[in-house]
Amino acid sequence: MIQPGLPPTIPPPTAKPAQTPPAPQQSTNVKDTIESILVAFILAFIFRAFVVEAFVIPTGSMAPTLLGAHMRFFCPDCGYRFTTNYSSQRSQDDDVYVPNQAEPVEVRKDVYETRVFPIHCPNCGFKFPKETSKGDDNDATSPPVHHGDRILVMKYLYLFQDPNRWDVVVFKSPEAPAKYDYTQNYIKRLVGKPNEIIMILDGNIYVAPNTGQAPAPADFRVQTKPPEAQDALWRIVYDNDFHPRGQFRAREWKQPWTPSDASSWDQSANGGRTFRFTNANGAATLRFDPNATPDVFPLSDFVGYDQTHFGYPPDYAPIRRLQGDIYDAELFPPKNNVSEVKLALNYRRTSGDGSLRLRLSKLDQTFIAEITPDKVRLLRVEGPGTDAKLVSETEFDGRSDRARRIDFQNVDYRVSLSIDGKELLATDATYAPDVDMLLNAFNRRQRLPKPTIEITAEKQTCELSHVGLWRDVYYTNLSSESRDGVADVPMVWANPVRFPNHLMVLGPDEYFVCGDNSLISGDARIWKSPINLPYEELDVQAGRVPGRFMLGKAFFVYWPAGYRPLPNLPGLAPNFGQMRFIH
């Protein structure tokens, strides 16, 4: 009861019961962690299945763009580093078996021979000894073997855009369905697109539209490669930066750049790597001599990567006598000359107003890049005994004494001159192949001539450094070489034998692919198995890749054939310097 005049009485607060702290949420945390891991795995599998997947290159069919199982060498004379093919003698679950070293081969029952290869430097022709006193694995006997490149592929890219010619593509192989049931992944370069007719001629890819009618030779157009793909497809002829010292050789090395006047050209500067010209009143020429290094067949379709691979029939006598030790076997001789080349050099003028002329010939056409202090010109000579005609010219500031990088190339019937990475001059559509003449030469099995490459300096003092010569990739349409009774065997597809019977005619959503290492690539040129999948409504003739077999585009080498920490261990660390985008 509250009394009047007195403050009300406030009862004391009631004590709250003590609260028990919540139990630890261990079960909840474990559950969240497991869910996060599962989500991460699901995302990884989705990413792998639908976005990017890793593949390993097993063979050398795309070399040297992409390396399969291979051996590495360092030339002790010129310093050039290169790789060669390793052909495994056995497989492992349909995969290429890659040992740590080249394994002995069984020559007779329970009789094995050590592998000894005929290894030549593709730059200077130096033949490696059977064994070295240093024991550094840089000889021809049982060299170490390295795994192929590991690459990333953008999967299902072609659901959103059409494949481009010259893409490096991964697809389900249509060949040998009885063995692989269309589950084997292949990687090649795409050269033919839907509704086209493909012909391989003189190493180039020719295309005509598929109109449903038999094509005429005049319908075909040579296909020009984009710069990124072309840069990946140059093959070395000779790089003077790797100038041999003339040591350890069985015979004397000869400089392939031969001067017309040795008094004007000094080829001894910088250890032979720099050419100096001094003549205020006259001119002199350096001509490339392909016979200087005959062991590596310059300006031919010879590929240094293939020198350990022999494509002769089993009964070919010189190979039948040799088994594991093939050191004394002759290299597989090239059949074709290659006249599409790039000449690159650094040019530094120190005095004089004369010109520097670079000359490249292909068949009966010769192109001359003329560089003076004020301008550059591109000239063309059409046939022997005719005068040079101006193709194009432009102003050029050539009076500075700084070195200028010059690239002069004739490839895919396009001649261009670039200075310091910028293209200044190029031919137009008037320079095109004579397809009728090339067809006649092929049918006669006529070997086309090698190109002429010359450098002429006049009335000046200058020096040339970093002089290099490269040739274009050569797609062959013959599967073996004519030698000692071994006849030429035309490929099944895209060859002009009995024109137009063996051309590749592509329908809608059909593609044609070739390996960059044309000589040993088992690609669409030789496939004989048609695709017949009635339950998928898919009926495709042999040699074609249907669009639904396309898996994606190869775009990056993320693990380039790793380093070995010890000689007997596989490559465990990637060669970071060789990580690269694929073009």
Side-chain angles (χ1 to χ4, degrees), residues 47-289:
F47 188 79
R48 179 183 182 275
F50 296 103
V51 184
V52 172
E53 185 173 355
F55 291 86
V56 62
I57 306 299
T59 69
S61 68
M62 284 292 292
T65 308
L66 299 171
L67 300 179
H70 65 281
M71 300 173 289
R72 301 175 183 170
F73 297 95
F74 172 76
C75 180
D77 197 9
C78 74
Y80 187 72
R81 295 183 182 273
F82 61 98
T83 57
T84 65
N85 182 67
Y86 179 76
S87 297
S88 180
Q89 299 298 302
R90 53 194 173 110
S91 61
Q92 196 173 44
D93 298 328
D94 292 330
D95 292 327
V96 174
Y97 172 74
V98 183
N100 287 334
Q101 287 187 302
E103 292 188 319
V105 294
E106 188 174 14
V107 296
R108 294 185 301 278
K109 183 174 176 58
D110 297 327
V111 177
Y112 291 84
E113 267 192 12
T114 301
R115 301 290 293 275
V116 187
F117 301 98
I119 303 297
H120 295 73
C121 172
N123 183 62
C124 72
F126 173 82
K127 186 171 184 179
F128 280 61
K130 280 193 172 185
E131 296 179 331
T132 62
S133 58
K134 299 178 181 179
D136 55 2
D137 287 331
N138 194 43
D139 55 36
T141 301
S142 300
V145 180
H146 299 262
H147 286 260
D149 292 328
R150 294 180 181 272
I151 65 170
L152 296 178
V153 175
M154 187 70 69
K155 299 188 68 175
Y156 303 111
L157 173 67
Y158 299 135
L159 293 178
F160 307 100
Q161 67 179 55
D162 292 333
N164 294 314
R165 197 185 324 277
W166 310 116
D167 280 357
V168 177
V169 297
V170 174
F171 55 94
K172 294 297 182 184
S173 172
E175 185 65 358
K179 180 178 181 181
Y180 296 117
D181 194 24
Y182 307 116
T183 61
Q184 184 79 350
N185 296 328
Y186 272 22
I187 182 167
K188 307 291 179 187
R189 192 174 295 274
L190 190 150
V191 299
K193 299 169 63 177
N195 299 314
E196 293 181 340
I197 303 176
I198 312 300
M199 176 173 64
I200 298 174
L201 189 60
D202 191 28
N204 286 321
I205 303 297
Y206 287 77
V207 169
N210 181 7
T211 63
Q213 303 295 323
D219 296 330
F220 284 87
R221 298 291 180 269
V222 67
Q223 300 302 297
T224 302
K225 296 178 281 293
E228 309 82 33
Q230 185 61 67
D231 288 343
L233 293 173
W234 290 119
R235 306 291 183 247
I236 189 168
V237 177
Y238 174 67
D239 188 343
N240 199 57
D241 280 351
F242 299 92
H243 180 84
R245 296 171 294 174
Q247 300 180 2
F248 320 114
R249 305 181 75 94
R251 62 186 181 209
E252 183 179 0
W253 177 80
K254 179 184 177 183
Q255 166 65 259
W257 287 105
T258 304
S260 62
D261 180 3
S263 64
S264 295
W265 283 106
D266 177 9
Q267 296 180 286
S268 63
N270 191 24
R273 295 176 177 84
T274 300
F275 304 148
R276 287 178 178 165
F277 176 82
T278 305
N279 191 330
N281 302 309
T285 298
L286 292 174
R287 170 176 284 200
F288 185 81
D289 178 11

Side-chain angles (χ1 to χ4, degrees), residues 29 39 99 102 111 134 184 227 246 304 311 369 382 426 438 532:
N29 292 341
V39 169
V111 177
K134 299 178 181 179
Q184 184 79 350
E382 300 184 56
L438 294 174
N532 185 15

